[in-house]
Amino acid sequence: MNFKERLAAQAARVDKLLEEYLPEESGHQKTIFSAMNYSVRAGGKRLRPILMEETYRLCGGTGTEIEPFMAAIEMIHTSSLVHDDLPAMDADEYRRGKKTTWVVYGEDMGILAGDALMIYAFETATKALHWTAYPERVVRAISILAEKTGIYGMIGGQTVDVELTGKPVPEDKLRFIYALKTGALLEASMMIGAVLSGADDEMVKKAGEVALLVGMAFQIQDDILDVTSTTEELGKPVLSDEKNQKTTYVTLYGLDAAAQKVKELSERAVSLMHEIPGENAFLEELILSLVNRLK
Amino acid sequence: MNFKERLAAQAARVDKLLEEYLPEESGHQKTIFSAMNYSVRAGGKRLRPILMEETYRLCGGTGTEIEPFMAAIEMIHTSSLVHDDLPAMDADEYRRGKKTTWVVYGEDMGILAGDALMIYAFETATKALHWTAYPERVVRAISILAEKTGIYGMIGGQTVDVELTGKPVPEDKLRFIYALKTGALLEASMMIGAVLSGADDEMVKKAGEVALLVGMAFQIQDDILDVTSTTEELGKPVLSDEKNQKTTYVTLYGLDAAAQKVKELSERAVSLMHEIPGENAFLEELILSLVNRLK
């Protein structure tokens, strides 16, 4: 199997795993089950669970207690998209070519579906207890999940992003938004993989640092692609940042400096990743594909 | 100290505890910290944390690992109020005489503040790990917190409540809404208290059953008070159910049958609570005060 085939197989495996945890659509509260399932099934590349599992294997993990956390991180990611799309936030009616959750289920159910996924992620994560002899690792992993998702992570980044919409963004705040809004869930993915495998604190820290570098590179590459590629290549509208008068790494420093920064960050990420002992060829390709993600 | 004084002292203690966990209002994401803190500080009787701690003590708990969970359940409760008040939900501009979170911070920050509190509750709960030698109890307690908060608990109840707004509600759905929207967080409070104390499964189950009976009695009493008391006595507008054409236990069965039901449920709750060995005089008064809560 080449890299692309293996990545597709992993994504299919995550889809299957998610199905095992998603609620059955019956009972009085059926609507919320449907809205959750619709949101999760709308797809995506499942990169966070794949990154989590690969880090777990790299650090020597061989069990199945990683699986509930793989499902959980994707639920959290989905919940943030569901709330981001709401009329009071980005007011998006389509995502990945499908109607967004609030358009299909109403604004009230859109709010509740995001809440539901967020909480159900934690409910799902606790199921790891059944498959490990190390309950304290489960608590530490839940702690990372919450910290990187919440006010010191993703939600913190979203707050600043929302506040600065339509305003000029100074560099330190742009960095903050990139690190927290995009970087934090990648950090959580790799750190949880490391924690559940039993890796020591130094390795867990290293995994987090790799993920943060990847997150920054990913986001700057996003800025570049918005300017340099076509809608067909990218799979979403280009020049949207210019249209929305958005401050990006490209508007601040220009294309060349941005490209240089991506190169520098991804090289540092890969080199740091090599300090974690273990079979890492796929993870290296995964990191580089995340950064250079033209189809 | 009589009951009222002790209850007030406990509520003050919970307020102090919450302050220990609430974020400092500084940094790029300061707005979300302020919005969270504003929401939590808007007050309330702090009944859920008090109920949790009393159950913990009743079951023999003597440690401090209960404290992060006491803060967490109040954060979850607050998050649900913040989202309930949003324009797309109940569109409430005032709660307890204060402007609601979205009115003060905007609708987008209202959504994010609810999310933030929900996730921060789990982050806070994991801190119990530092104060216990039983990490697997912490995981079980987090699992209960998530289950009773999410789609099989509070969010599930809210879903049905939102869907049936302005429509006639059949009895089975009314029961479902009461049990999940009001009952589930009380269940979580008492069950988590029992789990963290090291109580066996039977006691944990019993604690949950007591809480569910209390929740049902509490909600039916709410229906009764809306009809029989004055705005001054109740501290909030009366006859609101009639005004909103809401199906309640009183509209379904009449005042007498509703009062009879409250009596029956609270007697069962107290008698079941007595099956948990330990000093329970305060908890009994607390349960009865929850049910008969005219000022």
Side-chain angles (χ1 to χ4, degrees):
Chain A
M1 250 195 306
N2 66 24
F3 173 72
K4 274 204 168 173
E5 286 162 353
R6 183 158 163 202
L7 194 63
Q10 301 266 73
R13 206 177 90 75
V14 174
D15 283 340
K16 203 162 151 271
L17 191 62
L18 281 163
E19 289 300 326
E20 281 174 35
Y21 286 103
L22 288 177
E24 207 188 303
E25 295 183 21
S26 66
H28 292 307
Q29 72 273 56
K30 196 183 152 182
T31 309
I32 197 76
F33 297 152
S34 304
M36 284 169 75
N37 293 352
Y38 175 82
S39 313
V40 172
R41 288 177 187 150
K45 302 190 206 79
R46 315 303 191 195
L47 292 172
R48 290 158 194 81
I50 295 172
L51 200 56
M52 185 187 284
E53 187 171 33
E54 287 305 316
T55 310
Y56 176 75
R57 303 284 171 223
L58 173 64
C59 296
T62 56
T64 50
E65 81 278 16
I66 192 74
E67 293 184 353
F69 279 93
M70 291 167 65
I73 197 112
E74 191 67 17
M75 289 173 193
I76 294 267
H77 173 58
T78 306
S79 80
S80 77
L81 303 181
V82 170
H83 278 184
D84 265 357
D85 290 336
L86 285 169
M89 304 284 280
D90 293 347
D92 280 321
E93 295 181 18
Y94 286 89
R95 180 179 286 274
R96 300 190 193 109
K98 288 179 186 139
K99 283 187 179 163
T100 49
T101 307
W102 72 269
V103 171
V104 178
Y105 292 91
E107 203 177 333
D108 46 9
M109 285 299 150
I111 295 169
L112 287 174
D115 293 355
L117 281 167
M118 218 169 269
I119 297 165
Y120 194 59
F122 289 97
E123 188 171 343
T124 301
T126 60
K127 291 177 181 161
L129 188 61
H130 303 305
W131 296 298
T132 177
Y134 304 99
E136 119 282 345
R137 289 184 193 164
V138 176
V139 183
R140 284 178 60 209
I142 292 172
S143 170
I144 292 168
L145 185 66
E147 192 189 315
K148 298 297 174 188
T149 303
I151 47 179
Y152 303 112
M154 184 185 74
I155 298 277
Q158 282 179 319
T159 302
V160 181
D161 196 26
V162 162
E163 280 194 308
L164 293 178
T165 301
K167 292 179 194 158
V169 183
E171 200 212 326
D172 61 331
K173 294 210 182 195
L174 192 69
R175 238 180 242 278
F176 181 89
I177 294 169
Y178 286 8
L180 273 72
K181 199 180 167 178
T182 311
L185 278 201
L186 299 178
E187 266 182 282
S189 305
M190 292 192 70
M191 290 174 77
I192 289 170
V195 161
L196 290 180
S197 77
D200 63 24
D201 288 350
E202 199 197 321
M203 285 303 147
V204 173
K205 194 166 161 269
K206 208 158 269 184
E209 284 166 7
V210 172
L212 196 53
L213 291 166
V214 172
M216 293 298 289
F218 179 93
Q219 198 55 59
I220 298 171
Q221 183 70 357
D222 215 49
D223 299 343
I224 295 173
L225 293 175
D226 189 64
V227 180
T228 60
S229 64
T230 65
T231 298
E232 291 69 41
E233 285 172 318
L234 204 58
K236 62 180 179 183
V238 293
L239 299 175
S240 70
D241 294 334
E242 199 185 314
K243 206 180 104 199
N244 299 325
Q245 295 190 293
K246 235 182 148 172
T247 306
T248 73
Y249 220 86
V250 173
T251 65
L252 279 182
Y253 302 103
L255 265 176
D256 287 351
Q260 182 55 36
K261 192 75 192 168
V262 169
K263 189 166 173 289
E264 190 191 308
L265 288 165
S266 56
E267 278 169 7
R268 272 169 59 203
V270 168
S271 125
L272 195 60
M273 194 266 288
H274 280 286
E275 293 179 22
I276 305 174
E279 168 47 45
N280 55 28
F282 180 74
L283 192 54
E284 178 171 340
E285 276 208 84
L286 181 60
I287 287 173
L288 292 174
S289 81
L290 272 169
V291 175
N292 308 302
R293 80 208 109 92
L294 263 194
K295 281 176 184 168
Chain B
M1 254 198 299
N2 66 24
F3 173 73
K4 275 205 168 174
E5 287 162 353
R6 184 161 162 199
L7 194 63
Q10 301 267 71
R13 205 177 90 74
V14 174
D15 283 340
K16 201 162 153 273
L17 191 63
L18 281 163
E19 289 299 327
E20 282 173 35
Y21 287 102
L22 288 177
E24 208 189 302
E25 295 182 21
S26 65
H28 291 307
Q29 72 274 55
K30 194 182 154 185
T31 310
I32 197 74
F33 296 152
S34 303
M36 285 168 76
N37 293 353
Y38 175 83
S39 313
V40 171
R41 287 177 187 150
K45 303 188 205 79
R46 315 303 190 195
L47 293 172
R48 290 157 194 81
I50 296 172
L51 200 56
M52 185 186 283
E53 186 170 35
E54 287 304 318
T55 310
Y56 176 75
R57 303 283 169 223
L58 173 62
C59 295
T62 56
T64 51
E65 79 280 15
I66 192 74
E67 293 184 354
F69 279 92
M70 290 167 65
I73 197 116
E74 192 67 17
M75 289 174 195
I76 294 268
H77 172 58
T78 306
S79 80
S80 77
L81 304 181
V82 171
H83 278 185
D84 264 357
D85 290 337
L86 286 169
M89 305 283 280
D90 293 348
D92 280 321
E93 295 181 18
Y94 286 89
R95 180 178 286 275
R96 299 189 194 111
K98 288 179 186 136
K99 283 186 180 166
T100 49
T101 307
W102 71 269
V103 171
V104 178
Y105 292 90
E107 203 178 334
D108 46 10
M109 286 300 149
I111 295 169
L112 287 174
D115 292 354
L117 280 167
M118 219 169 268
I119 296 165
Y120 194 61
F122 288 97
E123 189 171 342
T124 301
T126 60
K127 292 179 179 158
L129 188 63
H130 304 305
W131 295 298
T132 178
Y134 304 97
E136 118 282 344
R137 287 184 193 165
V138 176
V139 183
R140 284 178 61 209
I142 292 172
S143 169
I144 292 167
L145 185 66
E147 190 189 318
K148 298 296 174 190
T149 303
I151 46 179
Y152 303 111
M154 184 185 73
I155 298 277
Q158 281 178 319
T159 301
V160 181
D161 195 26
V162 163
E163 279 194 307
L164 292 178
T165 301
K167 293 179 193 156
V169 183
E171 198 212 326
D172 61 332
K173 294 211 180 194
L174 192 69
R175 238 179 243 277
F176 181 88
I177 294 169
Y178 286 10
L180 273 72
K181 199 180 166 175
T182 311
L185 277 201
L186 299 177
E187 266 182 282
S189 304
M190 292 192 71
M191 289 173 79
I192 289 170
V195 161
L196 290 180
S197 78
D200 63 24
D201 288 352
E202 198 197 321
M203 284 303 148
V204 174
K205 192 165 163 270
K206 209 159 267 184
E209 284 166 7
V210 171
L212 195 54
L213 291 166
V214 172
M216 293 296 290
F218 179 94
Q219 197 55 58
I220 297 171
Q221 183 71 358
D222 214 50
D223 298 344
I224 294 173
L225 293 176
D226 189 65
V227 180
T228 60
S229 64
T230 65
T231 299
E232 290 68 41
E233 285 172 320
L234 203 57
K236 63 180 179 181
V238 294
L239 298 175
S240 69
D241 295 334
E242 198 185 310
K243 205 180 102 200
N244 299 325
Q245 294 190 294
K246 232 180 151 173
T247 307
T248 73
Y249 220 88
V250 172
T251 64
L252 280 181
Y253 302 103
L255 265 176
D256 287 350
Q260 182 57 35
K261 192 74 191 169
V262 169
K263 189 166 174 289
E264 191 191 307
L265 288 165
S266 55
E267 279 170 5
R268 272 170 58 205
V270 168
S271 125
L272 194 59
M273 194 268 289
H274 280 286
E275 292 179 22
I276 305 174
E279 168 48 44
N280 54 29
F282 179 75
L283 192 55
E284 177 170 341
E285 276 208 84
L286 180 60
I287 287 173
L288 292 174
S289 82
L290 273 169
V291 175
N292 308 301
R293 81 210 107 94
L294 263 194
K295 281 177 183 167

